[in-house]
Amino acid sequence: MASHRRPKQPSRARVTVLTATAAAAVALSAQAAHADPKPTKAEVKEKVDKLYAEAEAATEKYNGAKEQQEKLEKEVDALQDKVAREQADLNSLRGELGSIATAQYRSGGIDPSVQLFLASDPDTFLDQASALDQLTAKQTESLEKIQAKQRSLAQERKEAEAKLSELSEVRDALGANKKKYQKKLADARALLNTLTAAERQKMADDDARASRSAGTRVDLGNEVPASALGAAALANAATQIGKPYVSGGTGPSSFDCSGLTQWAYAQAGVAITRTTYTQINQGTQIGRSSLKPGDLVFFNNTEHVALYAGDNTVLHAPHPGAYVRYESMDTIGSFQVGVRI
């Protein structure tokens, strides 16, 4: 005879586990459905180029802070030396005043009329009295010198303290900008690591080809440098083709963008400042159509500087991982302004 017993119901615990498992499966499938697709090589390159540009902007601020720090350190050293000399002069004046006081004491602190009464030789007394008057006048002069020196010393110390405070702020800015560009470079490396090994190799090969082709002298055609100085600066920079880009590099083994332009002009006998933000104000600003070989060319809101080489081409230190090379202006970014030194 068939059994009429009711089937066994699943336990509460089993229902809970099944429900949770199902919910997790739904959540995972939903998450997979809404997950962002892996960026393409072109998208990664675009983001990496943007990070490199941001890193270069931070590098230029770092360079500016470093230059300011070096200047302030020299000023602080000079002020501290001056304070030390002022203190030595003050100590000398105080010693001189002490000698005068000793001479007065030895001449006797007796009332002059009593000294005259006791003196066996009035002429001798009068000579001593005259010497005492001279000592008193010299003491007054020394006191005035001491007071002036104390005021001067206090001012020098105040100025030195202000410079030290400014130096501390600059050092903080230096550290902050260094961390910023290091973070941007780390982000760029992380992005590149999302690509396959083959994709990364393709990007490296493309960049290497750009560097190799940059080794060939650019045909300037009929574009003549605006001056012998510009021609010399461009020729100097051309001797550095193939040198690596390094943040903070000023040559001769490596360069960043403004380090290369500064070095190139220095070899031509002209000192220009260290950063893009100051180099842009060093000469006459000109438009793109007026560029001549050797002119400075600024891009991307003063984040990057290069040397114009002719035929819509610049010679520059591009970005981390690249080398000093010629490159079309159309591939670098937005043209800002040219500057003729």
Side-chain angles (χ1 to χ4, degrees), residues 203-225:
M203 286 181 67
D205 290 344
D206 290 345
D207 204 62
R209 271 195 298 275
S211 294
R212 283 197 298 272
S213 63
T216 305
R217 174 72 175 173
V218 170
D219 182 5
L220 301 181
N222 295 323
E223 294 193 58
V224 179

Side-chain angles (χ1 to χ4, degrees), residues 29-83:
S29 61
Q31 184 177 358
H34 291 90
D36 291 333
K38 181 183 175 181
T40 65
K41 184 168 73 99
E43 289 171 337
V44 168
K45 186 179 185 309
E46 183 181 356
K47 290 178 181 178
V48 166
D49 288 346
K50 184 173 184 293
L51 285 168
Y52 280 157
E54 291 170 352
E56 193 162 40
T59 293
E60 288 304 308
K61 289 178 181 177
Y62 169 86
N63 291 338
K66 187 175 181 182
E67 186 178 45
Q68 189 178 1
Q69 173 185 261
E70 290 168 355
K71 179 183 176 184
L72 284 171
E73 283 174 343
K74 290 178 182 177
E75 291 177 357
V76 165
D77 286 345
L79 280 169
Q80 288 177 333
D81 286 345
K82 192 172 182 180
V83 165

Side-chain angles (χ1 to χ4, degrees), residues 182-200:
Q182 288 176 335
K183 172 70 165 55
K184 296 293 182 184
L185 294 181
D187 289 345
R189 284 192 294 270
L191 257 179
L192 287 171
N193 286 335
T194 64
L195 298 176
T196 65
E199 288 172 329
R200 287 197 300 273

Side-chain angles (χ1 to χ4, degrees), residues 103-130:
Q104 284 180 316
Y105 175 78
R106 285 176 178 169
S107 68
I110 306 173
D111 184 271
S113 59
V114 176
Q115 290 185 43
L116 180 59
F117 177 75
L118 295 176
S120 57
D121 183 354
D123 289 336
T124 301
F125 167 75
L126 292 173
D127 289 341
Q128 291 175 339
S130 176

